[in-house]
Amino acid sequence: MKKNYFSALFLCTSLGLSYAQVSEVYFKYDEAGNQKYRGPESAAKQASNESKTTSLTSSYVMDEKTFWKQIRLYPVPVNDVLTIDWTEDVDGLIESVSLYQHSTVHWKFQQQNLPGLNKQLRINMTGYDWGIYVIRFTLRDGRVFSKNITKR
């Protein structure tokens, strides 16, 4: 019995030593807080150098000001039909277009961006109450850009 107890103690001690020899783990995160890397620091430096070269070749992310320069809403204020045009540059970014009244949270109109739209959308607002409406563009990368328009 003493032999078994001693060998079990020796086994636990040897396992404890193997856990003590674990090296440090390095974590790297992107701007959004997503984990990009987990591992030894030496490999992280190599991964960082590789990501710098790939980030230069990755596509340009459009900011909101540039996005709105590519969108045309007319006539504003709206009487009957709101027409929305956009350029080829933002066509691949837009997932859906929505419209809702500013004082409510209920959607009045929602349309997915389909190739058949030909970069133009017409919303018949004849039966809508006068007031302020929010036009909302949901992009494929999850960003949402919105703008107020007036219906008279």
Side-chain angles (χ1 to χ4, degrees):
M1 177 107 175
K2 288 183 184 180
K3 262 187 180 177
N4 290 339
Y5 178 72
F6 181 74
S7 63
L9 180 62
F10 179 73
L11 179 64
C12 290
T13 306
S14 65
L15 288 176
L17 288 176
S18 67
Y19 284 121
Q21 296 172 355
V22 174
S23 63
E24 287 187 34
V25 177
Y26 181 77
F27 295 90
K28 184 167 175 75
Y29 298 92
D30 64 3
E31 297 85 23
N34 300 316
Q35 184 178 333
K36 299 286 282 177
Y37 175 77
R38 177 182 165 203
E41 188 172 0
S42 60
K45 289 180 183 175
Q46 180 183 0
S48 175
N49 291 337
E50 290 174 4
S51 69
K52 285 180 186 174
T53 58
T54 57
S55 67
L56 294 175
T57 60
S58 66
S59 64
Y60 169 71
V61 175
M62 189 176 293
D63 65 339
E64 187 170 2
K65 186 176 180 180
T66 308
F67 177 81
W68 284 114
K69 287 181 181 179
Q70 308 294 318
I71 304 292
R72 194 169 71 149
L73 303 167
Y74 61 92
V76 175
V78 180
N79 289 325
D80 297 323
V81 177
L82 173 67
T83 304
I84 306 166
D85 294 334
W86 56 87
T87 63
E88 187 72 36
D89 296 339
V90 296
D91 188 43
L93 298 175
I94 299 171
E95 181 174 323
S96 66
V97 180
S98 307
L99 179 76
Y100 63 95
Q101 195 167 11
H102 196 271
S103 61
T104 66
V105 293
H106 302 297
W107 297 110
K108 294 284 189 174
F109 179 86
Q110 186 167 13
Q111 173 67 52
Q112 295 293 324
N113 185 13
L114 303 172
L117 288 177
N118 294 324
K119 300 178 285 294
Q120 185 180 50
L121 187 60
R122 295 172 56 88
I123 303 172
N124 186 359
M125 296 180 68
T126 305
Y128 294 5
D129 295 332
W130 63 273
I132 298 175
Y133 287 80
V134 178
I135 188 81
R136 176 179 158 165
F137 287 86
T138 305
L139 305 185
R140 296 191 191 282
D141 61 4
R143 293 180 295 163
V144 176
F145 296 147
S146 58
K147 188 176 241 184
N148 292 342
I149 58 166
T150 305
K151 161 78 166 91
R152 5 175 190 173

